[in-house]
Amino acid sequence: MKKTLIYIIVAAVLVGLAAYKIAGNKEKQTQEVKEVAKQVDKINVNVVTVSRENIDTDYSANGTFIPKQESNQSSEISGRIVSVLVKEGSRVGAGQVFGDY
């Protein structure tokens, strides 16, 4: 019986200390929010006159491009390449049979 009473008193003291600490933290947080609210009242605004402009969507860069993903393709028929009918760096399109070599 005496042990149970001691446990209850210790638990009550711990709950009381926790409640006191939480109340103190809440008051501190409220003061910080009020201070930040004072600073937020002053917001810098930049004003720009609207005008029509062309947007440059070209992208140029120097260096080596590395693919995000690679895929190896194997042929159903074995063989070897005898010649390639386009120059390195030439533009080719879908369905193109021969190039301007």
Side-chain angles (χ1 to χ4, degrees):
M1 183 74 173
K2 203 173 195 184
K3 272 188 170 181
T4 307
L5 184 60
I6 292 174
Y7 288 141
I8 292 173
I9 292 172
V10 169
V13 169
L14 291 176
V15 168
L17 287 173
Y20 176 76
K21 185 68 173 173
I22 290 171
N25 287 344
K26 183 165 177 90
E27 183 178 329
K28 181 180 176 184
Q29 184 181 19
T30 304
Q31 289 174 354
E32 289 176 1
V33 168
K34 286 180 183 178
E35 185 65 33
V36 169
K38 289 178 188 176
Q39 295 173 0
V40 171
D41 287 342
K42 301 172 186 173
I43 299 174
N44 294 332
V45 177
N46 294 331
V47 178
V48 178
T49 304
V50 177
S51 63
R52 183 175 292 263
E53 295 180 7
N54 291 331
I55 299 174
D56 184 19
T57 58
D58 292 336
Y59 177 77
S60 63
N62 295 329
T64 304
F65 290 97
I66 300 172
K68 183 176 180 179
Q69 182 178 2
E70 291 185 14
S71 175
N72 293 328
Q73 301 294 323
S74 60
S75 175
E76 294 177 7
I77 302 171
S78 62
R80 64 180 193 167
I81 299 173
V82 177
S83 65
V84 178
L85 300 176
V86 293
K87 292 180 183 177
E88 185 176 339
S90 298
R91 289 186 179 261
V92 294
Q96 183 176 345
V97 179
F98 58 90
D100 300 328
Y101 200 79

